[in-house]
Amino acid sequence: MPEAIELLKTRRSLKPIELIPPGPSAAEVDTLITIASRVPDHGKLTPWRFIVFEGDARLDAGAAIEAAFRAKYPDARPEQIAYEQNRLARAPLVIAVVSRAAPHVKIPEWEQVLSAGAAAMSLVLAAHALGYGASWITEWYAYDRGVLAALGLQENERIAGFVHIGRPSAPPEDRPRPPLEQIATRFAAR
Ligand SMILES: Cc1cc2nc3c(=O)[nH]c(=O)nc-3n(C[C@H](O)[C@H](O)[C@H](O)COP(=O)(O)O)c2cc1C
C-alpha cells in the first residue's frame, strides 16, 4: 500500500499531554502552515488564518485563559488555576486555526466555515506526515470572547481548532470506527 494511504488509514489523535518535545522546527512550522493553507476555498476568500503558539508565548496565552477562568470561578482551587494557565503549553506547539467566515454576496458562509475545517484537518495530516502526533481540540476557551480578544481575534472571527502538535510519547491505541455500511450508501439508479 502506498505510504500516503497507510498514513491516512492509520492516523489517530493523541491527547495534548501525550505530545512531547521536540516540536517542529521553524521550517517545519512553515511546511505545516503551507499545507494547511492549500485547501479548497470557494471564491478564493482565504476565510481562515493561523496563530502559532510556541515556547513561552504558550504560557502568556495561558495567562489570558487563566484570567477568564478565575473570573468565572472565583473559588477555583490553585491546581485548577495552574491547569488553565498551562492549557496551551501541554504540547510543544499549538496552531490555532481561525475561521474568518463572513456574509458574502455569492459564497455561503457555511462553505467558508467548511474550508477552515479542511485547513485544520490538513494541518493534522501534515503533522502526522512529518512524524508528529496531533490533537484537534477546541475546549471551553475557544468560545470565550474575552480569551479570544486577548489572543488577537476580531469579533467576527472564531476558533476552528487549537491543533496541538508534538512527538507521540507512545503509539496511540485506535478507537472503533463507524462501519462503512452505517455511513455510506450507493444511490440506487432507477
Ligand atoms: C472542531 C472539533 C473540536 C474538537 N474539540 C475537542 C475537544 O475540545 N476535546 C476533545 O477531547 N476532543 C475534541 N475533538 C475531537 C478530537 O479531535 C478527536 O477527533 C478525538 O480525540 C478522536 O480521535 P481520532 O481523531 O483518533 O478519531 C474535536 C474535534 C473537532 C473536529
Side-chain angles (χ1 to χ4, degrees):
M1 196 185 302
E3 216 179 316
I5 293 293
E6 185 57 24
L7 177 97
L8 293 168
K9 286 186 81 174
T10 56
R11 181 214 63 83
R12 150 103 260 229
S13 296
L14 287 105
K15 294 191 180 79
I17 50 159
E18 296 169 339
L19 299 166
I20 59 174
S25 65
E28 286 177 323
V29 171
D30 282 357
T31 299
L32 292 171
I33 296 174
T34 301
I35 292 170
S37 57
R38 195 180 182 88
V39 287
D41 169 10
H42 193 180
K44 302 181 190 66
L45 301 175
T46 319
W48 25 256
R49 66 184 180 94
F50 305 91
I51 306 172
V52 176
F53 300 92
E54 54 191 351
D56 288 347
R58 296 171 305 156
L59 287 173
D60 289 349
I65 296 173
E66 183 217 306
F69 183 79
R70 273 177 196 266
K72 266 188 224 280
Y73 305 103
D75 299 330
R77 294 193 306 277
E79 63 270 24
Q80 292 175 304
I81 291 168
Y83 186 81
E84 296 302 331
Q85 159 105 62
N86 198 49
R87 280 270 184 194
L88 294 180
R90 289 169 289 180
L93 171 72
V94 177
I95 301 181
V97 181
V98 177
S99 164
R100 304 166 61 222
H104 185 276
V105 281
K106 195 164 153 259
I107 313 298
E109 212 170 323
W110 163 239
E111 297 186 6
Q112 300 174 45
V113 174
L114 290 174
S115 184
M121 193 62 216
S122 288
L123 181 55
V124 167
L125 289 173
H128 278 270
L130 282 176
Y132 295 97
S135 172
W136 172 0
I137 59 174
T138 41
E139 301 188 316
W140 70 268
Y141 47 91
Y143 299 97
D144 185 291
R145 275 328 312 182
V147 172
L148 298 186
L151 300 185
L153 274 75
Q154 304 293 313
E155 269 300 311
N156 62 319
E157 294 183 321
R158 285 184 291 175
I159 290 289
F162 288 104
V163 178
H164 296 243
I165 297 169
R167 296 268 166 214
S169 56
E173 267 178 42
D174 204 4
R175 67 177 176 90
R177 303 289 162 173
L180 294 194
E181 62 273 17
Q182 281 180 16
I183 54 165
T185 51
R186 279 198 170 66
F187 186 75
R190 279 201 277 169

mmCIF file of all heavy atoms in Angstrom, residues 28-67:
data_model
loop_
_atom_site.group_PDB
_atom_site.id
_atom_site.type_symbol
_atom_site.label_atom_id
_atom_site.label_comp_id
_atom_site.label_asym_id
_atom_site.label_seq_id
_atom_site.Cartn_x
_atom_site.Cartn_y
_atom_site.Cartn_z
ATOM 1 N N GLU A 28 9.715 23.464 9.667
ATOM 2 C CA GLU A 28 8.593 22.514 9.650
ATOM 3 C C GLU A 28 7.259 23.219 9.930
ATOM 4 O O GLU A 28 6.233 22.856 9.359
ATOM 5 C CB GLU A 28 8.832 21.397 10.680
ATOM 6 C CG GLU A 28 9.891 20.398 10.219
ATOM 7 C CD GLU A 28 10.195 19.330 11.264
ATOM 8 O OE1 GLU A 28 10.207 19.652 12.480
ATOM 9 O OE2 GLU A 28 10.445 18.184 10.868
ATOM 10 N N VAL A 29 7.301 24.236 10.801
ATOM 11 C CA VAL A 29 6.069 25.008 11.057
ATOM 12 C C VAL A 29 5.606 25.665 9.755
ATOM 13 O O VAL A 29 4.416 25.659 9.421
ATOM 14 C CB VAL A 29 6.286 26.052 12.178
ATOM 15 C CG1 VAL A 29 5.093 26.999 12.277
ATOM 16 C CG2 VAL A 29 6.531 25.361 13.519
ATOM 17 N N ASP A 30 6.565 26.198 8.989
ATOM 18 C CA ASP A 30 6.207 26.791 7.695
ATOM 19 C C ASP A 30 5.592 25.740 6.769
ATOM 20 O O ASP A 30 4.616 26.007 6.066
ATOM 21 C CB ASP A 30 7.444 27.399 7.019
ATOM 22 C CG ASP A 30 7.808 28.755 7.621
ATOM 23 O OD1 ASP A 30 7.067 29.231 8.507
ATOM 24 O OD2 ASP A 30 8.839 29.329 7.209
ATOM 25 N N THR A 31 6.181 24.540 6.771
ATOM 26 C CA THR A 31 5.638 23.459 5.934
ATOM 27 C C THR A 31 4.206 23.123 6.371
ATOM 28 O O THR A 31 3.299 22.966 5.532
ATOM 29 C CB THR A 31 6.524 22.190 6.051
ATOM 30 O OG1 THR A 31 7.831 22.528 5.592
ATOM 31 C CG2 THR A 31 5.979 21.034 5.243
ATOM 32 N N LEU A 32 3.996 23.035 7.679
ATOM 33 C CA LEU A 32 2.656 22.707 8.197
ATOM 34 C C LEU A 32 1.629 23.733 7.738
ATOM 35 O O LEU A 32 0.532 23.389 7.281
ATOM 36 C CB LEU A 32 2.688 22.661 9.731
ATOM 37 C CG LEU A 32 3.481 21.513 10.383
ATOM 38 C CD1 LEU A 32 3.593 21.734 11.891
ATOM 39 C CD2 LEU A 32 2.829 20.177 10.083
ATOM 40 N N ILE A 33 1.989 25.008 7.859
ATOM 41 C CA ILE A 33 1.018 26.063 7.511
ATOM 42 C C ILE A 33 0.833 26.149 5.990
ATOM 43 O O ILE A 33 -0.271 26.407 5.503
ATOM 44 C CB ILE A 33 1.443 27.409 8.140
ATOM 45 C CG1 ILE A 33 1.405 27.275 9.674
ATOM 46 C CG2 ILE A 33 0.518 28.540 7.692
ATOM 47 C CD1 ILE A 33 1.935 28.468 10.421
ATOM 48 N N THR A 34 1.913 25.881 5.258
ATOM 49 C CA THR A 34 1.795 25.870 3.790
ATOM 50 C C THR A 34 0.789 24.809 3.357
ATOM 51 O O THR A 34 -0.082 25.052 2.506
ATOM 52 C CB THR A 34 3.176 25.581 3.149
ATOM 53 O OG1 THR A 34 4.082 26.598 3.565
ATOM 54 C CG2 THR A 34 3.094 25.552 1.634
ATOM 55 N N ILE A 35 0.893 23.634 3.973
ATOM 56 C CA ILE A 35 -0.029 22.539 3.612
ATOM 57 C C ILE A 35 -1.446 22.856 4.098
ATOM 58 O O ILE A 35 -2.420 22.646 3.378
ATOM 59 C CB ILE A 35 0.496 21.204 4.180
ATOM 60 C CG1 ILE A 35 1.783 20.816 3.441
ATOM 61 C CG2 ILE A 35 -0.562 20.104 4.064
ATOM 62 C CD1 ILE A 35 2.544 19.651 4.036
ATOM 63 N N ALA A 36 -1.547 23.399 5.326
ATOM 64 C CA ALA A 36 -2.874 23.710 5.879
ATOM 65 C C ALA A 36 -3.599 24.760 5.041
ATOM 66 O O ALA A 36 -4.838 24.791 5.002
ATOM 67 C CB ALA A 36 -2.731 24.188 7.322
ATOM 68 N N SER A 37 -2.847 25.608 4.372
ATOM 69 C CA SER A 37 -3.500 26.678 3.597
ATOM 70 C C SER A 37 -3.779 26.251 2.152
ATOM 71 O O SER A 37 -4.322 27.025 1.375
ATOM 72 C CB SER A 37 -2.624 27.939 3.614
ATOM 73 O OG SER A 37 -1.347 27.655 3.101
ATOM 74 N N ARG A 38 -3.433 25.003 1.836
ATOM 75 C CA ARG A 38 -3.663 24.500 0.476
ATOM 76 C C ARG A 38 -4.952 23.672 0.480
ATOM 77 O O ARG A 38 -4.948 22.455 0.298
ATOM 78 C CB ARG A 38 -2.467 23.644 0.052
ATOM 79 C CG ARG A 38 -2.411 23.364 -1.423
ATOM 80 C CD ARG A 38 -1.198 22.514 -1.753
ATOM 81 N NE ARG A 38 -1.119 22.271 -3.164
ATOM 82 C CZ ARG A 38 -0.510 23.069 -4.036
ATOM 83 N NH1 ARG A 38 0.127 24.139 -3.618
ATOM 84 N NH2 ARG A 38 -0.512 22.792 -5.320
ATOM 85 N N VAL A 39 -6.038 24.331 0.735
ATOM 86 C CA VAL A 39 -7.322 23.631 0.832
ATOM 87 C C VAL A 39 -8.335 24.265 -0.121
ATOM 88 O O VAL A 39 -8.188 25.435 -0.506
ATOM 89 C CB VAL A 39 -7.897 23.686 2.278
ATOM 90 C CG1 VAL A 39 -7.126 22.781 3.202
ATOM 91 C CG2 VAL A 39 -7.953 25.103 2.808
ATOM 92 N N PRO A 40 -9.355 23.484 -0.498
ATOM 93 C CA PRO A 40 -10.423 24.066 -1.307
ATOM 94 C C PRO A 40 -11.007 25.305 -0.617
ATOM 95 O O PRO A 40 -11.194 25.316 0.609
ATOM 96 C CB PRO A 40 -11.450 22.932 -1.395
ATOM 97 C CG PRO A 40 -10.622 21.679 -1.232
ATOM 98 C CD PRO A 40 -9.558 22.050 -0.242
ATOM 99 N N ASP A 41 -11.259 26.324 -1.398
ATOM 100 C CA ASP A 41 -11.666 27.631 -0.850
ATOM 101 C C ASP A 41 -12.532 28.308 -1.923
ATOM 102 O O ASP A 41 -12.005 28.999 -2.804
ATOM 103 C CB ASP A 41 -10.384 28.423 -0.525
ATOM 104 C CG ASP A 41 -10.637 29.885 -0.211
ATOM 105 O OD1 ASP A 41 -11.807 30.281 -0.047
ATOM 106 O OD2 ASP A 41 -9.646 30.648 -0.132
ATOM 107 N N HIS A 42 -13.852 28.075 -1.836
ATOM 108 C CA HIS A 42 -14.780 28.609 -2.845
ATOM 109 C C HIS A 42 -14.695 30.140 -2.864
ATOM 110 O O HIS A 42 -14.918 30.785 -1.846
ATOM 111 C CB HIS A 42 -16.201 28.156 -2.510
ATOM 112 C CG HIS A 42 -17.171 28.370 -3.627
ATOM 113 N ND1 HIS A 42 -18.498 28.019 -3.522
ATOM 114 C CD2 HIS A 42 -17.018 28.882 -4.876
ATOM 115 C CE1 HIS A 42 -19.118 28.317 -4.654
ATOM 116 N NE2 HIS A 42 -18.243 28.853 -5.491
ATOM 117 N N GLY A 43 -14.386 30.689 -4.022
ATOM 118 C CA GLY A 43 -14.291 32.144 -4.158
ATOM 119 C C GLY A 43 -12.912 32.685 -3.799
ATOM 120 O O GLY A 43 -12.683 33.890 -3.865
ATOM 121 N N LYS A 44 -11.991 31.794 -3.411
ATOM 122 C CA LYS A 44 -10.618 32.213 -3.035
ATOM 123 C C LYS A 44 -10.654 33.362 -2.032
ATOM 124 O O LYS A 44 -10.014 34.392 -2.194
ATOM 125 C CB LYS A 44 -9.814 32.621 -4.275
ATOM 126 C CG LYS A 44 -9.693 31.523 -5.311
ATOM 127 C CD LYS A 44 -8.848 31.992 -6.496
ATOM 128 C CE LYS A 44 -8.903 31.008 -7.654
ATOM 129 N NZ LYS A 44 -10.228 30.885 -8.294
ATOM 130 N N LEU A 45 -11.429 33.180 -0.983
ATOM 131 C CA LEU A 45 -11.602 34.242 0.024
ATOM 132 C C LEU A 45 -10.578 34.157 1.151
ATOM 133 O O LEU A 45 -10.488 35.083 1.962
ATOM 134 C CB LEU A 45 -13.018 34.152 0.632
ATOM 135 C CG LEU A 45 -14.187 34.287 -0.352
ATOM 136 C CD1 LEU A 45 -15.515 34.058 0.381
ATOM 137 C CD2 LEU A 45 -14.165 35.658 -1.021
ATOM 138 N N THR A 46 -9.842 33.037 1.221
ATOM 139 C CA THR A 46 -8.937 32.780 2.356
ATOM 140 C C THR A 46 -9.703 33.054 3.671
ATOM 141 O O THR A 46 -9.326 33.950 4.442
ATOM 142 C CB THR A 46 -7.654 33.652 2.284
ATOM 143 O OG1 THR A 46 -7.212 33.701 0.931
ATOM 144 C CG2 THR A 46 -6.535 33.079 3.147
ATOM 145 N N PRO A 47 -10.743 32.262 3.927
ATOM 146 C CA PRO A 47 -11.590 32.564 5.099
ATOM 147 C C PRO A 47 -11.054 31.937 6.389
ATOM 148 O O PRO A 47 -11.825 31.460 7.217
ATOM 149 C CB PRO A 47 -12.933 31.939 4.702
ATOM 150 C CG PRO A 47 -12.545 30.761 3.866
ATOM 151 C CD PRO A 47 -11.257 31.134 3.154
ATOM 152 N N TRP A 48 -9.760 31.937 6.554
ATOM 153 C CA TRP A 48 -9.117 31.376 7.745
ATOM 154 C C TRP A 48 -7.725 31.990 7.871
ATOM 155 O O TRP A 48 -7.180 32.537 6.911
ATOM 156 C CB TRP A 48 -8.982 29.839 7.657
ATOM 157 C CG TRP A 48 -8.941 29.292 6.269
ATOM 158 C CD1 TRP A 48 -9.950 28.659 5.607
ATOM 159 C CD2 TRP A 48 -7.847 29.367 5.328
ATOM 160 N NE1 TRP A 48 -9.567 28.332 4.323
ATOM 161 C CE2 TRP A 48 -8.274 28.757 4.125
ATOM 162 C CE3 TRP A 48 -6.568 29.893 5.357
ATOM 163 C CZ2 TRP A 48 -7.473 28.643 2.984
ATOM 164 C CZ3 TRP A 48 -5.755 29.797 4.227
ATOM 165 C CH2 TRP A 48 -6.218 29.169 3.064
ATOM 166 N N ARG A 49 -7.197 31.896 9.069
ATOM 167 C CA ARG A 49 -5.808 32.295 9.310
ATOM 168 C C ARG A 49 -5.299 31.455 10.474
ATOM 169 O O ARG A 49 -6.063 30.698 11.087
ATOM 170 C CB ARG A 49 -5.684 33.800 9.593
ATOM 171 C CG ARG A 49 -6.331 34.269 10.888
ATOM 172 C CD ARG A 49 -6.230 35.784 11.011
ATOM 173 N NE ARG A 49 -6.835 36.279 12.250
ATOM 174 C CZ ARG A 49 -6.176 36.493 13.381
ATOM 175 N NH1 ARG A 49 -4.884 36.237 13.468
ATOM 176 N NH2 ARG A 49 -6.793 36.953 14.457
ATOM 177 N N PHE A 50 -3.997 31.555 10.748
ATOM 178 C CA PHE A 50 -3.359 30.689 11.736
ATOM 179 C C PHE A 50 -2.622 31.527 12.779
ATOM 180 O O PHE A 50 -2.035 32.563 12.445
ATOM 181 C CB PHE A 50 -2.358 29.750 11.039
ATOM 182 C CG PHE A 50 -2.983 28.954 9.922
ATOM 183 C CD1 PHE A 50 -2.991 29.439 8.616
ATOM 184 C CD2 PHE A 50 -3.627 27.747 10.183
ATOM 185 C CE1 PHE A 50 -3.598 28.727 7.592
ATOM 186 C CE2 PHE A 50 -4.239 27.028 9.165
ATOM 187 C CZ PHE A 50 -4.223 27.521 7.863
ATOM 188 N N ILE A 51 -2.655 31.069 14.020
ATOM 189 C CA ILE A 51 -1.846 31.706 15.076
ATOM 190 C C ILE A 51 -0.979 30.612 15.695
ATOM 191 O O ILE A 51 -1.496 29.566 16.126
ATOM 192 C CB ILE A 51 -2.717 32.349 16.175
ATOM 193 C CG1 ILE A 51 -3.741 33.321 15.574
ATOM 194 C CG2 ILE A 51 -1.844 33.078 17.195
ATOM 195 C CD1 ILE A 51 -4.764 33.858 16.587
ATOM 196 N N VAL A 52 0.328 30.856 15.718
ATOM 197 C CA VAL A 52 1.285 29.872 16.244
ATOM 198 C C VAL A 52 1.592 30.203 17.700
ATOM 199 O O VAL A 52 1.938 31.344 18.029
ATOM 200 C CB VAL A 52 2.584 29.904 15.407
ATOM 201 C CG1 VAL A 52 3.639 28.956 15.995
ATOM 202 C CG2 VAL A 52 2.295 29.553 13.946
ATOM 203 N N PHE A 53 1.470 29.210 18.561
ATOM 204 C CA PHE A 53 1.838 29.344 19.975
ATOM 205 C C PHE A 53 2.995 28.394 20.239
ATOM 206 O O PHE A 53 2.833 27.170 20.103
ATOM 207 C CB PHE A 53 0.670 28.971 20.892
ATOM 208 C CG PHE A 53 -0.564 29.813 20.695
ATOM 209 C CD1 PHE A 53 -1.556 29.419 19.816
ATOM 210 C CD2 PHE A 53 -0.723 31.002 21.399
ATOM 211 C CE1 PHE A 53 -2.696 30.204 19.634
ATOM 212 C CE2 PHE A 53 -1.858 31.788 21.231
ATOM 213 C CZ PHE A 53 -2.839 31.388 20.342
ATOM 214 N N GLU A 54 4.149 28.944 20.579
ATOM 215 C CA GLU A 54 5.284 28.080 20.905
ATOM 216 C C GLU A 54 6.115 28.749 21.990
ATOM 217 O O GLU A 54 5.987 29.952 22.236
ATOM 218 C CB GLU A 54 6.116 27.759 19.649
ATOM 219 C CG GLU A 54 6.565 28.967 18.890
ATOM 220 C CD GLU A 54 7.149 28.640 17.505
ATOM 221 O OE1 GLU A 54 7.373 27.466 17.190
ATOM 222 O OE2 GLU A 54 7.372 29.597 16.751
ATOM 223 N N GLY A 55 6.983 27.963 22.638
ATOM 224 C CA GLY A 55 7.852 28.497 23.696
ATOM 225 C C GLY A 55 7.047 29.164 24.801
ATOM 226 O O GLY A 55 5.941 28.743 25.146
ATOM 227 N N ASP A 56 7.609 30.259 25.337
ATOM 228 C CA ASP A 56 6.975 30.937 26.469
ATOM 229 C C ASP A 56 5.657 31.617 26.088
ATOM 230 O O ASP A 56 4.822 31.888 26.954
ATOM 231 C CB ASP A 56 7.925 31.999 27.041
ATOM 232 C CG ASP A 56 9.081 31.346 27.790
ATOM 233 O OD1 ASP A 56 8.992 30.120 28.057
ATOM 234 O OD2 ASP A 56 10.060 32.050 28.088
ATOM 235 N N ALA A 57 5.474 31.904 24.802
ATOM 236 C CA ALA A 57 4.222 32.550 24.365
ATOM 237 C C ALA A 57 3.018 31.676 24.708
ATOM 238 O O ALA A 57 1.906 32.177 24.888
ATOM 239 C CB ALA A 57 4.273 32.820 22.862
ATOM 240 N N ARG A 58 3.235 30.369 24.809
ATOM 241 C CA ARG A 58 2.128 29.465 25.167
ATOM 242 C C ARG A 58 1.619 29.783 26.577
ATOM 243 O O ARG A 58 0.434 29.721 26.855
ATOM 244 C CB ARG A 58 2.595 28.004 25.113
ATOM 245 C CG ARG A 58 3.007 27.548 23.715
ATOM 246 C CD ARG A 58 3.660 26.185 23.775
ATOM 247 N NE ARG A 58 4.786 26.195 24.703
ATOM 248 C CZ ARG A 58 5.287 25.132 25.321
ATOM 249 N NH1 ARG A 58 4.762 23.949 25.115
ATOM 250 N NH2 ARG A 58 6.307 25.239 26.130
ATOM 251 N N LEU A 59 2.556 30.125 27.477
ATOM 252 C CA LEU A 59 2.163 30.444 28.851
ATOM 253 C C LEU A 59 1.556 31.841 28.934
ATOM 254 O O LEU A 59 0.656 32.093 29.742
ATOM 255 C CB LEU A 59 3.367 30.329 29.792
ATOM 256 C CG LEU A 59 3.807 28.889 30.077
ATOM 257 C CD1 LEU A 59 5.098 28.860 30.866
ATOM 258 C CD2 LEU A 59 2.715 28.113 30.807
ATOM 259 N N ASP A 60 2.050 32.771 28.100
ATOM 260 C CA ASP A 60 1.451 34.116 28.060
ATOM 261 C C ASP A 60 -0.012 34.006 27.625
ATOM 262 O O ASP A 60 -0.894 34.662 28.185
ATOM 263 C CB ASP A 60 2.206 35.021 27.085
ATOM 264 C CG ASP A 60 3.587 35.392 27.626
ATOM 265 O OD1 ASP A 60 3.844 35.115 28.814
ATOM 266 O OD2 ASP A 60 4.396 35.922 26.858
ATOM 267 N N ALA A 61 -0.255 33.167 26.616
ATOM 268 C CA ALA A 61 -1.643 32.954 26.173
ATOM 269 C C ALA A 61 -2.429 32.279 27.297
ATOM 270 O O ALA A 61 -3.605 32.600 27.535
ATOM 271 C CB ALA A 61 -1.662 32.101 24.907
ATOM 272 N N GLY A 62 -1.761 31.384 28.003
ATOM 273 C CA GLY A 62 -2.405 30.689 29.121
ATOM 274 C C GLY A 62 -2.827 31.654 30.217
ATOM 275 O O GLY A 62 -3.823 31.415 30.914
ATOM 276 N N ALA A 63 -2.106 32.757 30.364
ATOM 277 C CA ALA A 63 -2.467 33.747 31.389
ATOM 278 C C ALA A 63 -3.851 34.330 31.087
ATOM 279 O O ALA A 63 -4.642 34.594 32.009
ATOM 280 C CB ALA A 63 -1.412 34.838 31.450
ATOM 281 N N ALA A 64 -4.152 34.518 29.806
ATOM 282 C CA ALA A 64 -5.481 35.041 29.426
ATOM 283 C C ALA A 64 -6.558 34.000 29.723
ATOM 284 O O ALA A 64 -7.664 34.338 30.184
ATOM 285 C CB ALA A 64 -5.491 35.397 27.936
ATOM 286 N N ILE A 65 -6.222 32.732 29.482
ATOM 287 C CA ILE A 65 -7.184 31.653 29.763
ATOM 288 C C ILE A 65 -7.421 31.569 31.272
ATOM 289 O O ILE A 65 -8.565 31.480 31.741
ATOM 290 C CB ILE A 65 -6.655 30.311 29.195
ATOM 291 C CG1 ILE A 65 -6.560 30.394 27.668
ATOM 292 C CG2 ILE A 65 -7.542 29.150 29.637
ATOM 293 C CD1 ILE A 65 -5.894 29.198 27.002
ATOM 294 N N GLU A 66 -6.328 31.635 32.010
ATOM 295 C CA GLU A 66 -6.423 31.563 33.468
ATOM 296 C C GLU A 66 -7.260 32.721 34.031
ATOM 297 O O GLU A 66 -8.111 32.521 34.906
ATOM 298 C CB GLU A 66 -5.005 31.603 34.047
ATOM 299 C CG GLU A 66 -4.948 31.471 35.541
ATOM 300 C CD GLU A 66 -3.859 32.335 36.138
ATOM 301 O OE1 GLU A 66 -2.694 32.233 35.713
ATOM 302 O OE2 GLU A 66 -4.189 33.134 37.034
ATOM 303 N N ALA A 67 -7.030 33.939 33.494
ATOM 304 C CA ALA A 67 -7.761 35.114 33.996
ATOM 305 C C ALA A 67 -9.266 34.947 33.759
ATOM 306 O O ALA A 67 -10.086 35.248 34.641
ATOM 307 C CB ALA A 67 -7.244 36.380 33.313
#
